[in-house]
Amino acid sequence: MTRVSLLSSPFLLGFDRLESMLERAARSADDAYPPYNIEQTSETSWRIVLAVAGFLPEHLSATVEDNQLVVAGAQPEDKTRNFVHRGIATRQFQRRFILAEGIEVVRAGVENGLLTIELTRPKTQSVVRRIDIVTR
């Protein structure tokens, strides 16, 4: 059985990558850990804040690969502690955010159990390019 693509119109050339990004976003939407907020701080800037209580900066990583911001956390197991009850989640996680073309990560930092990642899209100038039409 063939799958019908939403972006299969002959007028939408080269959008297959966009479709695969939408599919990846739909798959990762099910994971709820760690909780996060996304806020728009200006017309061209955003802030992602993840609740990472208990994680030290060296236990966290943020990378950009193929227009995806990948935030991961992993804590080493502390075998010296004997918990009677363990209700604070410190499990490993990997959270992916798909970034639009041109979005840049400006900075990231941890404070009071919150990992904050600042994003921006620099202003670009519109370029009009004339294409010469020749006879063959």
Side-chain angles (χ1 to χ4, degrees):
M1 182 170 154
T2 59
R3 189 173 60 97
V4 177
S5 169
L6 294 172
L7 302 174
S8 63
S9 168
F11 301 110
L12 297 173
L13 301 176
F15 283 90
D16 51 324
R17 186 168 168 224
L18 174 63
E19 187 171 26
S20 69
M21 284 193 304
L22 290 171
E23 288 173 358
R24 275 185 275 159
R27 281 193 303 266
S28 67
D30 294 339
D31 191 14
Y33 181 78
Y36 65 93
N37 292 335
I38 300 175
E39 53 187 290
Q40 187 163 7
T41 55
S42 76
E43 186 178 315
T44 59
S45 301
W46 298 265
R47 177 180 301 130
I48 300 172
V49 180
L50 292 99
V52 292
F55 285 85
L56 297 174
E58 56 266 22
H59 300 150
L60 299 167
S61 69
T63 58
V64 176
E65 53 187 63
D66 296 329
N67 284 16
Q68 283 189 79
L69 170 61
V70 180
V71 182
Q75 290 186 327
E77 185 65 33
D78 186 357
K79 302 210 186 254
T80 63
R81 299 169 79 180
N82 185 17
F83 291 98
V84 175
H85 172 76
R86 190 165 188 174
I88 299 172
T90 57
R91 64 180 189 253
Q92 294 184 9
F93 70 88
Q94 187 176 70
R95 166 86 55 199
R96 294 176 179 270
F97 300 92
I98 298 173
L99 305 177
E101 210 55 52
I103 299 286
E104 297 175 4
V105 177
V106 178
R107 73 182 69 81
V110 178
E111 185 177 349
N112 297 327
L114 298 174
L115 171 61
T116 302
I117 301 171
E118 304 283 341
L119 308 167
T120 189
R121 177 183 300 168
K123 295 263 186 188
T124 58
Q125 293 183 345
S126 177
V127 177
V128 177
R129 190 183 83 176
R130 179 170 172 75
I131 300 170
D132 293 329
I133 301 173
V134 299
T135 57
R136 293 184 190 224

